[in-house]
């Protein structure tokens, strides 16, 4: 049998496919390998060499670069430039004084900094890595000029100052409120009378108005409340060590203290099997209730005694206590008139119901 005959159309298609196979890598290369000179436009001195702009070699030192810049800046400064026959810019093509001056300034800004000069030299030696050149160029231009550590320190100090004054304001509000509560006001007034503070205030205030005398007596009562009352929780007296700045400074100490405390806990109660003390029992109860230390400290002493009597550090006892509290809360809400009105409103109308009132 002879060789199979091939149609002219099939042969032409095969030749076209072979041409496409050979042409595809070439087109892909053209797409990926872009001329570096076009991409350098807009970076540093553009298509010009910064060293040639200043008329120095790549091995020139900072002093030589600065000296060349001063000479060219005086020559091409727009206010002092005087064109001369055959005068050219700092490069190879004639330029206006302003363009020449800006180009010289750009070249000097590029070469005077060690890091920027290192990036520029790398670009001259590796022109094909244009994406890397763009990244280094704009990362240095857009990077903050101020040290980030300074910014963080100033921010932390500002937050700490705000914290201190905010806590102090809350503390003063709590004292002002306690001064209006009859229980504490009567006790503070009795203490002031026993110490003779009110009598001394009246004797010193003979030439003062009644309002000034009243304000002075009020301050005496508030000061006594401050010295006698024990406020815990969110309205307690602000402490310097609670501020964010000091918390950050003392963080390593707190971390080491916690590690030591945790190791002692494991050794004493998990390995040796010691019984929990009162402090440890309250700690377990607080963790079960998911309360912070300040929240737990703000509870009344009789509440903590109740927790200890019911042995709530034991998981089973705490689960029973938690269920009782939930049932009690449901009863309170069921008997609360406001809660009843809310449930009636949700049942009859609710937030999504539309009514049409025909007047």
């Amino acid at each position: 049998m002879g060789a199979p005959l091939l149609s002219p159309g099939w042969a032409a298609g095969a030749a076209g496919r072979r041409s496409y196979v050979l042409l595809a890598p070439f087109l892909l290369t053209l797409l990926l390998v872009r001329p570096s000179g076009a991409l350098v436009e807009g970076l540093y001195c553009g298509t010009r060499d910064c060293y040639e702009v200043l008329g120095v070699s790549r091995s020139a030192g900072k002093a030589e670069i600065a000296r060349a810049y001063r000479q060219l800046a005086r020559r091409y400064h727009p206010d002092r430039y005087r064109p001369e026959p055959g005068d050219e810019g700092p490069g190879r093509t004639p330029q206006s004084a302003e363009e020449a001056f800006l180009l010289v300034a750009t070249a000097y800004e590029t070469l005077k900094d060690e890091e920027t000069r290192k990036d520029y030299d790398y670009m001259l030696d590796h022109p094909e890595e244009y994406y890397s050149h763009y990244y280094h160029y704009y990362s240095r231009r857009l990077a903050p000029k101020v040290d980030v550590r300074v910014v963080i320190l100033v921010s932390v100090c500002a937050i700490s100052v705000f914290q201190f004054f905010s806590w102090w304001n809350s503390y003063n509000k709590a004292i002002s409120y306690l001064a209006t509560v009859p229980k504490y006001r009567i006790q503070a007034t009795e203490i002031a009378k026993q110490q003779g503070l009110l009598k001394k205030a009246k004797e010193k205030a003979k030439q003062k108005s009644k309002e000034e005398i009243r304000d002075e007596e009020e301050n005496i009562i508030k000061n006594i409340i401050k010295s006698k009352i024990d406020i815990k929780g969110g309205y307690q007296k602000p402490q310097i060590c609670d501020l964010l700045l000091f918390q950050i400074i003392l963080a390593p100490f707190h971390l080491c203290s916690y590690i030591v405390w945790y190791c002692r806990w494991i050794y004493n109660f998990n390995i040796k099997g010691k019984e929990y003390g009162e402090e440890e029992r309250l700690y377990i109860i607080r963790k079960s209730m998911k309360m912070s230390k300040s929240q737990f400290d703000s509870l009344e002493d009789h509440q903590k005694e109740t927790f200890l009597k019911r042995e709530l550090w034991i998981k089973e006892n705490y689960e029973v206590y938690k269920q009782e509290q939930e049932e009690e809360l449901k009863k309170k809400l069921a008997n609360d008139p406001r809660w009843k009105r809310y449930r009636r409103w949700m049942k009859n109308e609710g937030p999504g119901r539309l009514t049409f009132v025909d007047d």
Side-chain angles (χ1 to χ4, degrees):
M1 295 178 63
L5 299 177
L6 301 176
S7 64
W10 188 91
R17 285 192 292 271
R18 284 197 299 270
S19 300
Y20 177 77
V21 170
L22 295 175
L23 188 60
F26 178 72
L27 294 175
L28 184 61
T29 305
L30 290 178
L31 290 174
L32 295 179
V33 181
R34 300 173 60 183
S36 59
L39 286 175
V40 174
E41 184 69 35
L43 300 184
Y44 304 107
C45 298
T47 56
R48 301 290 304 279
D49 190 334
C50 292
Y51 291 102
E52 293 181 1
V53 170
L54 295 179
V56 297
S57 63
R58 288 185 63 174
S59 60
K62 287 187 176 181
E64 186 179 352
I65 292 173
R67 183 167 57 252
Y69 165 70
R70 287 193 295 268
Q71 293 175 356
L72 293 173
R74 285 195 298 268
R75 180 181 178 185
Y76 292 103
H77 196 282
D79 297 335
R80 303 178 60 182
Y81 178 70
R82 297 294 181 269
E84 299 177 0
D87 190 15
E88 293 185 354
R92 299 171 181 171
T93 58
Q95 300 183 31
S96 65
E98 184 176 358
E99 292 174 350
F101 181 78
L102 291 176
L103 184 59
V104 170
T106 303
Y108 177 67
E109 290 294 329
T110 302
L111 301 179
K112 74 173 184 177
D113 183 70
E114 290 292 339
E115 297 297 329
T116 308
R117 183 178 180 180
K118 187 185 299 182
D119 293 342
Y120 183 70
D121 290 342
Y122 185 82
M123 186 187 73
L124 294 178
D125 297 333
H126 304 83
E128 71 281 358
E129 300 180 13
Y130 42 84
Y131 292 120
S132 175
H133 304 327
Y134 271 103
Y135 169 74
H136 289 294
Y137 177 77
Y138 285 106
S139 63
R140 294 196 183 278
R141 286 178 63 90
L142 301 178
K145 303 300 181 182
V146 183
D147 192 347
V148 178
R149 293 171 295 183
V150 176
V151 176
I152 295 175
L153 179 60
V154 172
S155 301
V156 170
C157 291
I159 294 173
S160 300
V161 171
F162 176 78
Q163 278 183 327
F164 181 78
F165 284 105
S166 176
W167 290 347
W168 192 262
N169 185 40
S170 299
Y171 176 71
N172 288 331
K173 286 183 177 179
I175 295 298
S176 299
Y177 169 76
L178 293 176
T180 60
V181 177
K183 174 183 176 181
Y184 301 112
R185 188 175 185 86
I186 292 173
Q187 293 179 4
T189 304
E190 292 296 329
I191 293 174
K193 290 179 179 179
Q194 293 175 3
Q195 296 178 357
L197 298 177
L198 295 178
K199 185 177 181 181
K200 292 180 181 178
K202 291 180 180 180
E203 291 177 354
K204 294 180 181 179
K206 292 182 179 179
Q207 298 178 353
K208 296 182 180 179
S209 62
K210 293 183 179 180
E211 293 182 358
E212 293 176 343
I213 296 173
R214 192 181 305 112
D215 292 339
E216 189 170 351
E217 292 178 351
E218 190 70 19
N219 290 331
I220 292 173
I221 293 174
K222 288 182 179 180
N223 290 332
I224 293 175
I225 293 177
K226 287 181 181 180
S227 61
K228 299 296 182 180
I229 203 70
D230 181 20
I231 302 178
K232 296 180 180 179
Y235 293 95
Q236 64 184 1
K237 190 174 182 179
Q239 304 291 332
I240 297 295
C241 59
D242 293 334
L243 299 179
L244 177 62
L245 177 61
F246 290 90
Q247 287 293 315
I248 294 175
I249 294 174
L250 297 175
F253 171 76
H254 291 318
L255 179 60
C256 294
S257 300
Y258 175 78
I259 293 174
V260 172
W261 173 86
Y262 186 76
C263 292
R264 287 180 177 175
W265 183 284
I266 297 296
Y267 176 74
N268 290 328
F269 304 114
N270 292 7
I271 298 177
K272 298 186 68 176
K274 287 185 177 180
E275 292 186 1
Y276 295 125
E278 182 176 334
E279 184 178 352
E280 289 77 15
R281 293 172 180 176
L282 290 175
Y283 173 78
I284 296 174
I285 294 171
R286 178 170 68 85
K287 287 299 181 181
S288 300
M289 293 182 174
K290 298 179 181 180
M291 299 176 66
S292 64
K293 189 175 185 305
S294 60
Q295 291 175 331
F296 194 77
D297 291 341
S298 62
L299 298 177
E300 298 291 342
D301 292 337
H302 66 86
Q303 291 179 292
K304 297 178 182 178
E305 292 176 0
T306 304
F307 298 158
L308 293 174
K309 287 180 181 179
R310 298 195 58 173
E311 299 182 350
L312 297 186
W313 66 88
I314 301 175
K315 186 176 180 180
E316 293 76 10
N317 296 344
Y318 176 74
E319 292 296 333
V320 174
Y321 172 80
K322 183 179 178 181
Q323 188 174 1
E324 291 177 357
Q325 293 297 312
E326 291 176 354
E327 294 294 332
E328 186 177 352
L329 179 61
K330 290 180 181 178
K331 292 180 181 179
K332 288 183 178 179
L333 292 176
N335 297 326
D336 189 358
R338 291 176 297 180
W339 178 246
K340 288 182 178 179
R341 287 196 299 269
Y342 174 74
R343 288 188 300 171
R344 192 182 306 117
W345 174 75
M346 289 294 293
K347 180 180 179 181
N348 297 332
E349 298 179 9
R353 178 170 178 172
L354 298 176
T355 57
F356 182 81
V357 180
D358 188 3
D359 293 334

